Amino acid sequence: MLSNIVVSNSSYTNSLKNFTMNFGPQHPAAHGVLRLVLELSGEVIIRADPHIGLLHRGTEKLIEHKNYTQALPYFDRLDYVSMMAQEHCYSLAVESLLGIKSLVPIRAQFIRVLFAELTRVLNHLLAITTHALDVGALTPFLWAFEERERIMEFYERVSGARMHAAYFRPGGVSQDLPIGILEDIYVFTNNFFARILEIEELLTNNRIWKQRLVNIGVISLSDALDFGFSGVMLRGSGLAFDIRRFAPYDVYSQLSFSVPVGQTGDCYDRYLIRIEEMRQSSKLILECLNKMPLGSVKIDDKKTSAPSRNIMKFSMESLIHHFKFYTENYNTPRGEIYCFIEAPKGEFAVFLKSDGTNKPYRCRIRAPGFFHLQALDYMSKNHMISDIVTIIGTQDIVFGEIDRLFELF
Amino acid sequence: MELDFKQIFVSNYLVSSIPQRCSSVFITAGFVKLNFSDFFIDRFELYLLFFKLDFQIGNSVLFDLWATDLSLLFRNFKSRFAVTYLFFNLYYPYFRVAWNVLPRFSRACFLLPTVVNYYWSAGWLEREIFDLFGIKFSGNPDLRRLLTDYGFSGYPLRKDFPLTGYTQVRYDDELKTVVSEPVSLTQGYRYFEFFSPWKLIFL
């Protein structure tokens, strides 16, 4: 949308001012509500100033008024394309706060890793193909969203909701897997490798795609570190840093996977890394399916995890636990915890400060997209307007986590 | 909570090498927290430079920066806010080092020096803290509101700011513009106080 058109002086030796333009907030390529105020000289960008906060809904303030179980669904809605990743981080944080991290049953940990990798695939499918859509390739978007629908069907079978599952709970997962889902995930994953190839066939060796992506948004490793990048943005610049390798949580230490690393730090490298990460995630999913143990899916302590409904209906203690759990919830000991995981977009972290009651005193959410968007100005200097679209797409921006939203529920 | 020998090494190193005033280093899962008994502005830059330039654990990157309003925690506290700087370093990527700063602001002047010149990522982080808590950072080249609305007044994440805020906005069809009015809720927020007489025992 055009705002003020700057009029130059009428004299011939006119002093030209840069042209300021509004990109968004209503824009198909703005990936949500992003208001970018661009200062242009011709088509070349001199400055890009992101105005965020149009989707800010006060998550951190709201969480301070909710108990730990009520605060869980907020995390689903932060990065609303990779839902279970944030739930995972929050569940790990609360488990550390309660001191029950080592008591989470192994089956629950495998289920969590399985769904975390499915979530990673879900996210990268959206990221790559909406990026392609913005750049101009319309078909991979539709193919990828068909695969996303299949994965969201697994979400629905396991939790009841296609997107915001609230499946990972502190203490494990909320319910056991339904019968037959593991076979279906196996069939899906086996076919999925061919789907990745189909998408790659359209994009990777495509002359136009390469022209739009190679050497755009180049960021050196020292700059990437200084800006607080993490995840694919950092790996694209050459650093093989993956939290699943360096600080493994759940059962990642028992699983084997490769970490793709880029060389030049441009958009094309990051695209290739995301494609390869989808393959590695599929490999991890197959490994989890093979190694899935039997057992319970929640910790035994019924004060920190709800008893199942049929036991609640005939056992007095379970009824009391159910009542206390859903009204008061558990009190965490005083303390602080900073928990970070490798979310599909980067390092997602949660800082919880507890004052001994059933509500978090302070919940700070570190979203990876926040830092990526901050560097948009730096990355897009002397690029053209069409490159801004490419760079926003490669940074994998989702406004839920940047603005820290809430939803009334 | 599992202790890591690397965390212990780094915390010992920090206690021994950070010049005085460091009263305790608190190790927990996920981060090593430095507590200082007092906050001295003249030492602020020194500690920042330490994290940046020290030969053992220098080259840190500011990964996160947030503030906490401590009003509801203790009775007699000297500092109302705790500003935490979180450093990431490739030498110890398994955890983070958090530097908890408890500045003692005089009356209403919430001012801290900026760290943007050392850590570039602090730009927006300081803007966010200014927006949500009202703590200004002197020297930040661009201190504007980040997350709240354009004409918003007040600092939402402070504990004395109510959950529902003071004003609500709606589009007025007669005036053909967005107007902001005092908040009117049909139902007040139901706040339950649960103080259990039994202390919960964890396994």
Side-chain angles (χ1 to χ4, degrees):
Chain A
M1 290 194 311
L2 303 177
S3 53
N4 317 316
I5 297 183
V6 173
V7 178
S8 59
N9 290 340
S10 54
S11 58
Y12 282 97
T13 53
N14 44 16
S15 58
L16 286 171
K17 285 199 279 184
N18 291 327
F19 179 57
T20 307
M21 189 177 87
N22 219 357
F23 181 99
Q26 283 255 35
H27 194 285
H31 275 251
V33 275
L34 166 66
R35 180 178 179 208
L36 257 191
V37 180
L38 294 173
E39 256 180 52
L40 307 164
S41 141
E43 274 237 3
V44 175
I45 292 169
I46 307 295
R47 204 166 74 104
D49 179 24
H51 288 211
I52 65 175
L54 290 151
L55 203 44
H56 175 67
R57 302 185 271 184
T59 312
E60 296 178 358
K61 180 91 181 172
L62 277 168
I63 288 181
E64 290 171 15
H65 291 254
K66 303 260 186 280
N67 56 35
Y68 288 95
T69 306
Q70 288 175 332
L72 177 72
Y74 283 119
F75 285 85
D76 267 325
R77 288 150 171 89
L78 282 175
D79 176 6
Y80 40 74
V81 307
S82 58
M83 285 73 71
M84 290 197 186
Q86 289 91 47
E87 282 179 19
H88 198 175
C89 187
Y90 177 73
S91 305
L92 288 170
V94 176
E95 283 161 15
S96 288
L97 205 53
L98 288 170
I100 56 174
K101 204 165 181 179
S102 51
L103 298 171
V104 177
I106 194 98
R107 183 177 168 86
Q109 296 186 20
F110 267 98
I111 294 177
R112 278 188 190 171
V113 167
L114 172 69
F115 276 90
E117 292 308 312
L118 273 174
T119 308
R120 194 175 309 271
V121 166
L122 202 62
N123 177 287
H124 286 333
L125 279 171
L126 184 132
I128 295 172
T129 53
T130 49
H131 185 198
L133 183 71
D134 293 339
V135 167
L138 307 174
T139 320
F141 174 75
L142 299 166
W143 295 350
F145 271 64
E146 173 63 34
E147 299 309 306
R148 270 179 59 99
E149 282 299 321
R150 287 176 218 261
I151 299 180
M152 287 202 272
E153 194 199 306
F154 296 137
Y155 268 39
E156 190 186 89
R157 277 164 74 169
V158 110
S159 67
R162 268 171 77 237
M163 285 181 78
H164 302 303
Y167 183 54
F168 295 179
R169 306 275 169 100
V173 284
S174 72
Q175 320 170 21
D176 206 344
L177 299 172
I179 299 172
I181 197 173
L182 292 178
E183 277 108 46
D184 293 336
I185 297 180
Y186 177 72
V187 166
F188 165 78
T189 315
N190 272 332
N191 291 332
F192 187 62
F193 291 105
R195 302 284 91 79
I196 304 179
L197 276 177
E198 279 173 10
I199 295 177
E200 257 204 297
E201 226 178 325
L202 279 181
L203 295 173
T204 307
N205 289 319
N206 190 327
R207 207 177 313 171
I208 305 175
W209 180 251
K210 278 191 181 171
Q211 268 186 340
R212 286 295 297 269
L213 260 72
V214 173
N215 284 332
I216 301 292
V218 178
I219 195 145
S220 68
L221 182 58
S222 56
D223 277 338
L225 278 171
D226 199 23
F227 294 163
F229 282 9
S230 47
V232 176
M233 303 290 291
L234 199 55
R235 289 197 281 281
S237 304
L239 184 68
F241 178 67
D242 190 329
I243 295 175
R244 297 174 291 168
R245 274 293 170 75
F246 282 89
Y249 47 95
D250 276 350
V251 285
Y252 277 111
S253 43
Q254 301 174 19
L255 304 172
S256 69
F257 60 100
S258 313
V259 173
V261 173
Q263 288 171 327
T264 43
D266 59 4
C267 296
Y268 189 66
D269 273 359
R270 291 189 279 265
Y271 153 77
L272 289 174
I273 291 177
R274 289 199 174 102
I275 293 264
E276 186 56 36
E277 277 192 3
M278 281 205 287
R279 280 202 194 95
Q280 294 299 320
S281 289
S282 309
K283 244 185 62 170
L284 269 171
I285 290 169
L286 288 175
E287 209 179 326
C288 279
L289 291 173
N290 284 335
K291 292 186 177 170
M292 181 73 68
L294 298 169
S296 65
V297 292
K298 291 191 231 202
I299 56 163
D300 281 331
D301 181 16
K302 288 298 167 260
K303 293 189 169 56
T304 49
S305 72
S308 70
R309 291 194 73 88
N310 49 350
I311 302 181
M312 178 263 281
K313 287 172 187 173
F314 64 76
S315 153
M316 191 53 177
E317 284 80 22
S318 292
L319 181 65
I320 298 174
H321 283 140
H322 171 99
F323 177 74
K324 290 299 285 178
F325 180 80
Y326 282 111
T327 52
E328 180 194 347
N329 234 30
Y330 39 84
N331 291 330
T332 49
R334 274 182 191 245
E336 301 169 329
I337 173 74
Y338 185 81
C339 181
F340 50 93
I341 62 156
E342 181 77 21
K345 294 186 168 19
E347 175 181 318
F348 181 86
V350 164
F351 169 78
L352 278 174
K353 185 182 175 77
S354 156
D355 55 346
T357 61
N358 58 343
K359 299 183 168 62
Y361 184 78
R362 169 83 166 106
C363 173
R364 155 79 185 170
I365 297 164
R366 184 220 188 252
F370 189 82
F371 296 85
H372 300 171
L373 195 59
Q374 192 181 359
L376 182 67
D377 180 32
Y378 179 86
M379 281 172 81
S380 59
K381 278 210 176 347
N382 298 327
H383 285 109
M384 308 217 214
I385 301 183
S386 41
D387 299 329
I388 271 252
V389 162
T390 314
I391 295 172
I392 296 178
T394 191
Q395 286 180 344
D396 212 354
I397 306 286
V398 157
F399 270 85
E401 58 178 11
I402 293 182
D403 296 353
R404 248 130 309 130
L405 331 175
F406 74 82
E407 272 195 19
L408 286 167
F409 75 104
Chain B
M1 304 196 190
E2 317 88 41
L3 289 187
D4 200 358
F5 78 92
K6 294 176 194 85
Q7 280 179 299
I8 298 174
F9 167 76
V10 166
S11 58
N12 283 340
Y13 183 77
L14 286 170
V15 166
S16 58
S17 52
I18 286 202
Q20 292 114 30
R21 308 290 176 188
C22 179
S23 62
S24 62
V25 177
F26 177 61
I27 305 179
T28 181
F31 65 107
V32 167
K33 186 169 91 166
L34 294 175
N35 282 328
F36 286 83
S37 48
D38 278 322
F39 173 65
F40 285 96
I41 276 231
D42 52 339
R43 304 248 176 202
F44 189 73
E45 281 206 38
L46 195 65
Y47 302 146
L48 282 180
L49 281 171
F50 173 79
F51 279 108
K52 198 79 184 167
L53 301 172
D54 181 64
F55 79 99
Q56 281 252 18
I57 62 166
N59 267 327
S60 295
V61 166
L62 188 72
F63 241 36
D64 207 0
L65 165 56
W66 69 84
T68 312
D69 188 341
L70 302 172
S71 321
L72 297 181
L73 263 189
F74 311 111
R75 280 283 172 79
N76 305 312
F77 50 85
K78 294 176 191 154
S79 22
R80 180 181 174 184
F81 292 109
V83 181
T84 315
Y85 295 80
L86 196 91
F87 295 102
F88 163 74
N89 194 316
L90 283 172
Y91 294 124
Y92 45 87
Y94 339 92
F95 55 89
R96 310 281 177 260
V97 170
W99 177 25
N100 214 16
V101 168
L102 289 122
R104 272 185 250 168
F105 297 122
S106 59
R107 275 302 147 184
C109 169
F110 301 108
L111 192 68
L112 274 182
T114 186
V115 303
V116 140
N117 303 316
Y118 302 107
Y119 304 100
W120 194 92
S121 47
W124 270 21
L125 290 164
E126 291 179 349
R127 268 179 77 179
E128 188 191 341
I129 293 185
F130 165 63
D131 190 9
L132 297 172
F133 285 93
I135 301 174
K136 293 195 175 66
F137 289 87
S138 69
N140 190 319
D142 188 20
L143 201 67
R144 291 175 283 163
R145 299 200 158 272
L146 188 68
L147 290 173
T148 48
D149 200 5
Y150 286 109
F152 195 85
S153 64
Y155 302 111
L157 276 182
R158 289 192 182 179
K159 291 288 180 183
D160 50 359
F161 192 89
L163 180 62
T164 50
Y166 295 117
T167 57
Q168 62 184 25
V169 289
R170 68 175 177 89
Y171 179 75
D172 192 326
D173 210 26
E174 291 171 18
L175 300 172
K176 301 285 184 213
T177 181
V178 171
V179 296
S180 84
E181 298 165 330
V183 150
S184 65
L185 298 168
T186 46
Q187 182 188 23
Y189 184 77
R190 290 174 299 169
Y191 187 72
F192 299 108
E193 273 294 343
F194 292 107
F195 286 118
S196 157
W198 301 288
K199 194 174 160 191
L200 290 173
I201 304 168
F202 300 102
L203 292 167

